[in-house]
């Protein structure tokens, strides 16, 4: 293998992906395993955790799941210690676990707002805090925060999500600022609109055979003229987790098919 290809290898690295039981987290963790990493992930449902382990195994990846609520600092610290003992010191962290509640702002309760911010912003702080000491001890580390286009843009009904993801962008920059001298790189990935089971209803044809209005809207706003796939995120994630990105720090890589660069077609 040439030196440049070797720089993208994750051979022997321990990678923790939060919320790695399905969707974007599963795809990224699987890609890390294919690049040579020892994969660990968390979930908050025991049955889903076991199912995910089986699906990783079916894909040829040995991944170990841990039951943990990433908004609970004591649970996270215990999980990090257990991973260190059973697998090794964490080299790579992907803060992927998250949620969205689409509720108009004036109809949203403060409790719902706090719940979204707790998982989408507080949890990345808690998990990063738990793994950074080990990274400092080891002399290197990679943290990837799954941000969003809502780290840059607002949209109706997503006030809590946008506030949290905007905060996550700035947490990314601050981790870079505070720990760059310890050879820790912290960057973000901002997915565009990704075709997942959760977004499937927005892409289903209408009864008359026409495309869903939201599907038309997204494709018209995207220079690539399509939704993204989870596989579109795996290459950028491997890059940011690997030695190939050792001088990339504090950046948000938007994998959005060009939406943020585009004003849209004239009607």
């Amino acid at each position: 293998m040439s030196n440049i290809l070797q720089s993208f290898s994750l051979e022997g690295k321990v990678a923790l992906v939060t919320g790695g039981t399905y969707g974007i987290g599963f795809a990224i963790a699987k890609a890390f395993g294919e690049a040579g990493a020892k994969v660990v992930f968390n979930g908050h449902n025991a049955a889903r955790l076991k199912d995910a382990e089986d699906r990783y195994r079916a894909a040829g990846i040995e991944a170990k799941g841990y039951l943990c609520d990433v908004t609970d600092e004591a649970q996270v610290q215990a999980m990090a210690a257990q991973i260190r003992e059973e697998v090794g010191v964490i080299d790579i962290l992907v803060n992927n676990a998250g949620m969205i509640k689409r509720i108009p702002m004036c109809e949203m309760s403060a409790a719902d707002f706090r719940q979204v911010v707790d998982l989408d912003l507080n949890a990345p702080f808690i998990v990063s805090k738990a793994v950074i000491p080990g990274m400092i001890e080891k002399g290197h580390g990679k943290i990837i925060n799954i941000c969003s286009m809502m780290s840059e843009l607002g949209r109706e009904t997503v006030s809590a999500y946008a506030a949290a993801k905007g905060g996550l962008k700035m947490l990314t920059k601050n981790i870079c600022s505070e720990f760059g001298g310890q050879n820790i790189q912290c960057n973000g990935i901002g997915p565009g609109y990704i075709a997942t089971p959760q977004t499937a209803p927005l892409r289903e044809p209408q009864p008359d055979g026409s495309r869903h209005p939201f599907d038309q809207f997204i494709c018209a706003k995207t220079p690539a003229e399509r939704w993204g796939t989870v596989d579109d995120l795996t290459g950028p994630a491997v890059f940011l987790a690997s030695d190939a990105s050792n001088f990339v720090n504090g950046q948000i890589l938007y994998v959005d098919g060009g939406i943020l660069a585009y004003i849209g077609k004239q009607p």
Side-chain angles (χ1 to χ4, degrees), residues 140-189:
H140 65 84
K142 301 280 187 175
I143 298 174
I144 302 169
N145 292 324
I146 303 301
C147 295
S148 166
M149 289 191 302
M150 299 302 111
S151 298
E152 300 289 344
L153 301 172
R155 190 167 184 273
E156 65 277 5
T157 77
V158 295
S159 57
Y161 184 79
K165 292 298 186 178
L168 187 57
K169 175 182 74 171
M170 294 312 300
L171 179 62
T172 301
K173 292 177 180 290
N174 203 80
I175 292 173
C176 157
S177 302
E178 194 162 348
F179 299 104
Q182 281 76 45
N183 194 29
I184 294 172
Q185 291 85 51
C186 182
N187 295 287
I189 291 177

Side-chain angles (χ1 to χ4, degrees), residues 9-30:
S9 172
L10 304 182
E11 194 68 38
K13 301 289 179 67
V14 177
L16 168 61
V17 180
T18 69
T21 56
Y22 64 95
I24 290 172
F26 184 91
I28 289 175
K30 177 174 171 287

Side-chain angles (χ1 to χ4, degrees), residues 13-17 28-30 32-34 37-41 56 61-65 87:
K13 301 289 179 67
V14 177
L16 168 61
V17 180
I28 289 175
K30 177 174 171 287
F32 284 176
E34 291 169 349
K38 301 173 184 176
V39 174
V40 293
F41 64 98
Y56 280 116
I61 306 296
E62 286 300 320
K64 187 171 178 59
V87 185

Side-chain angles (χ1 to χ4, degrees), residues 47-75:
R48 184 175 285 176
L49 205 69
K50 175 64 168 61
D51 176 67
E53 285 185 333
D54 291 343
R55 285 186 289 115
Y56 280 116
R57 194 170 297 111
I61 306 296
E62 286 300 320
K64 187 171 178 59
Y66 291 84
L67 199 62
C68 178
D69 176 357
V70 288
T71 68
D72 185 314
E73 187 166 12
Q75 288 189 38

